[in-house]
Amino acid sequence: MKYRIAIGTIVFSFLSVGTLFSQENDSTEHYISIIKSHLYKDYKGMYREAEGTLVYPFLTPGSNQYDNVLWDWDSWLSNVALRQILSDVGSEKDKKEAIPYEQGCVLNFLHYGNWDGYIPIVIWEDTNPGKIKPDNIYDVNMHKPVLAQHAAFLTRLQGGDAEWLRESFYNLQAFVNNYMAHHRHKPTGLYYWQTDVAIGVDNDPATFFRPPKSSGSIYLNSLMYKELQAMVYLAEKLNLSEIGKEFSAAAEELKAAVQTHCWDERDGFYYSVDLNLRPVTDSPDSSLGKVFIIHAGYPRDYDCLIQRIEVWSGFLAMWSGIATSEQAERMVKEHYLDPKTFNSPSGVRTLSKMEKMYSVRASANPSNWRGPIWGISNYMVFKGLLEYGFKKEARALAEKTVKLFGKDFEEHGALHEYYEPETGEPILNKGFQNWNYLVINMIAWLKGNPVIEEF
């Protein structure tokens, strides 16, 4: 009798697990259906015609807050999602119709480029062209290093035809040269933010309210590594292979610099670094006597200090391919999977819950990246997991994102900008579209369908 009960218990447990799995699968399918019904009919709302300062047609991130405006990394990532939608349900006519709007995102920005390499972060259609460029261009942030990636993405979609970019490629080179010459810390080889203004991840504690030119951001450097690789690709497609070799060497130098300075072997994570160190000097300190050189016995022989602040962007070292396979395994096991830090029911917390700065309160200026769930951080961490073969973890994150957005559509009729990690409740800005649409790319992967990927 005891034997029969044991067998029955095992069978019952097996059936219970199977039932639970079936329910979760049904739930995912339900939310996928809801998401598709909204996104497949709304996507052309991104299209805007040329007007005013914007001399080419372009894509807008969507929602009233971002209407009729061209943003840097927003337009790039919205474009990746748009192409997935077109791959899923677009006709050949639809795909051709999109091209001028897509290429226009890049060409509008390059239209305001020049020999000095400055390109704005954002362009409003009613901006005075004479005020697009500030006076102190080498002391302010500019377009994030995703412009070449956007151009490479579009070129690859066209089978490698980059002729649409040829006449503007000089301005694109000047843009990257500007980063290399004026946004790069020569002792470490790392790139830094000029200020904490318009960095994309607004209040990242590694940069927010820190001194100018002090933040060797892992987020910025991961983007820059991919940007340099994109320049190699574009140069090759334009038959400018010698130029490509220079950017290839710069990419390898940056990868080595990030691995050297941003990887923390103690914690098993990639961090931003502090560059705000007083210079080493061999000049005597006049206040202490002409022959005395302060700290001359053993001056510092390191060029930065690691900032052990667990920010989601540390995982961009996986998205960009900078991390080694051994490093990626530690990052996933020791950080990504830990519910006390990043792993929440709704996805990846943008700041570890263990950090003292952790907060999920609503804020629009700056937008809050100190803990809330964002669609773009879920997506880019998802892509990093896939890059290193963590398919089980990637699947779980994709399903969390589907549930998050599916419920938002079901209960509120629209998506929001960011979400509460534990409950998935929306926090701010109803109607936000933008990179949230990348959930459709995650769905394509879940279903085993062709996936459109960023360069």
Side-chain angles (χ1 to χ4, degrees):
M1 179 63 70
K2 290 182 180 179
Y3 177 77
R4 290 178 180 175
I5 291 173
I7 293 294
T9 301
I10 291 171
V11 172
F12 177 76
S13 298
F14 178 78
L15 291 174
S16 297
V17 170
T19 300
L20 180 61
F21 177 80
S22 177
Q23 289 174 345
E24 290 178 351
N25 190 54
D26 289 345
S27 174
T28 300
E29 290 298 322
H30 171 67
Y31 289 129
I32 285 175
S33 177
I34 291 173
I35 289 169
K36 285 184 174 181
S37 70
H38 281 82
L39 268 55
Y40 286 167
K41 69 180 180 181
D42 289 345
Y43 73 90
K44 289 190 179 181
M46 298 182 188
Y47 297 1
R48 293 292 185 277
E49 301 303 325
E51 186 172 354
T53 311
L54 291 155
V55 297
Y56 297 92
F58 63 100
L59 303 175
T60 186
S63 82
N64 291 335
Q65 184 176 343
Y66 299 100
D67 197 26
N68 297 322
V69 59
L70 176 61
W71 286 90
D72 51 5
W73 73 318
D74 306 67
S75 62
W76 161 54
L77 293 166
S78 297
N79 198 168
V80 177
L82 169 63
R83 271 291 153 177
Q84 185 65 58
I85 295 171
L86 290 170
S87 174
D88 292 352
V89 297
S91 65
E92 287 305 309
K93 180 181 178 182
D94 291 329
K95 293 173 183 177
K96 289 180 180 178
E97 179 189 7
I99 292 174
Y101 299 94
E102 298 171 305
Q103 293 181 351
C105 294
V106 175
L107 296 175
N108 271 313
F109 281 118
L110 291 177
H111 178 75
Y112 292 101
N114 208 324
W115 61 268
D116 57 26
Y118 177 82
I119 290 180
I121 295 167
V122 57
I123 305 174
W124 281 271
E125 65 179 10
D126 58 353
T127 301
N128 182 337
K131 294 185 178 181
I132 283 181
K133 184 182 296 184
D135 294 332
N136 55 335
I137 61 170
Y138 300 127
D139 293 318
V140 297
N141 294 326
M142 60 175 182
H143 194 297
K144 283 171 275 298
V146 299
L147 189 56
Q149 292 179 71
H150 197 168
F153 168 75
L154 296 174
T155 297
R156 192 171 62 181
L157 283 176
Q158 301 304 313
D161 183 1
E163 286 304 314
W164 66 278
L165 188 66
R166 184 175 293 278
E167 297 307 315
S168 300
F169 191 56
Y170 166 70
N171 287 354
L172 187 57
Q173 291 179 74
F175 165 70
V176 176
N177 290 343
N178 183 343
Y179 262 108
M180 296 174 70
H182 300 284
H183 300 247
R184 184 168 174 262
H185 183 245
K186 301 305 187 291
T188 61
L190 296 174
Y191 292 81
Y192 56 76
W193 293 118
Q194 300 287 347
T195 69
D196 68 348
V197 176
I199 62 173
V201 285
D202 295 12
N203 57 3
D204 174 352
T207 303
F208 196 53
F209 272 81
R210 287 191 45 75
K213 307 178 191 294
S214 68
S215 176
S217 164
I218 184 63
Y219 161 82
L220 172 62
N221 282 279
S222 295
L223 293 179
M224 192 69 203
Y225 176 62
K226 292 287 286 184
E227 188 79 343
L228 291 166
Q229 291 182 317
M231 290 297 289
V232 176
Y233 172 81
L234 291 169
E236 289 175 349
K237 295 305 176 184
L238 290 168
N239 199 26
L240 299 169
S241 57
E242 290 301 309
I243 291 174
K245 289 178 182 177
E246 293 187 34
F247 287 116
S248 179
E252 290 308 305
E253 289 173 6
L254 177 56
K255 181 177 182 179
V258 174
Q259 290 179 339
T260 297
H261 298 292
C262 299
W263 171 252
D264 183 31
E265 182 64 23
R266 188 189 78 177
D267 289 0
F269 199 65
Y270 271 94
Y271 292 115
S272 297
V273 300
D274 179 13
L275 305 172
N276 190 34
L277 307 180
R278 288 194 294 111
V280 175
T281 178
D282 56 5
S283 300
D285 188 325
S286 59
S287 67
L288 299 172
K290 292 183 179 180
V291 297
F292 190 85
I293 302 174
I294 193 71
H295 305 318
Y298 190 6
R300 67 173 174 85
D301 54 5
Y302 48 89
D303 296 311
C304 63
L305 293 173
I306 205 158
Q307 291 180 291
R308 289 190 173 95
I309 303 172
E310 283 190 296
V311 182
W312 78 274
S313 48
F315 294 110
L316 289 181
M318 294 173 60
W319 168 83
S320 62
I322 289 175
T324 66
S325 57
E326 295 79 12
Q327 290 170 347
E329 186 169 4
R330 287 194 64 187
M331 293 172 72
V332 172
K333 291 182 177 179
E334 299 174 28
H335 298 271
Y336 170 74
L337 292 174
D338 189 348
K340 294 185 296 184
T341 57
F342 290 108
N343 202 306
S344 86
S346 303
V348 184
R349 297 185 184 96
T350 43
L351 183 68
S352 165
K353 197 173 183 180
M354 298 291 285
E355 296 291 350
K356 292 183 181 295
M357 299 81 71
Y358 182 81
S359 171
V360 297
R361 285 181 292 175
S363 174
N365 182 20
S367 294
N368 190 3
W369 295 77
R370 283 170 45 194
I373 304 298
W374 286 70
I376 184 54
S377 42
N378 272 10
Y379 173 79
M380 296 184 91
V381 175
F382 160 80
K383 288 300 299 294
L385 290 168
L386 287 179
E387 179 74 18
Y388 287 82
F390 294 96
K391 292 184 179 180
K392 176 183 176 182
E393 292 79 4
R395 177 171 293 276
L397 180 53
E399 290 175 348
K400 286 181 180 181
T401 309
V402 167
K403 179 180 178 182
L404 179 72
F405 289 160
K407 284 185 64 178
D408 200 8
F409 272 132
E410 187 174 56
E411 296 176 6
H412 304 103
L415 299 181
H416 289 72
E417 194 162 5
Y418 51 88
Y419 298 81
E420 205 275 347
E422 308 306 321
T423 66
E425 287 299 313
I427 295 177
L428 190 71
N429 194 10
K430 183 178 180 179
F432 187 79
Q433 297 167 313
N434 204 348
W435 46 52
N436 283 353
Y437 280 20
L438 287 165
V439 68
I440 210 73
N441 302 62
M442 300 167 90
I443 289 171
W445 181 83
L446 285 171
K447 304 293 285 184
N449 296 329
V451 180
I452 301 297
E453 302 183 25
E454 63 276 18
F455 174 81

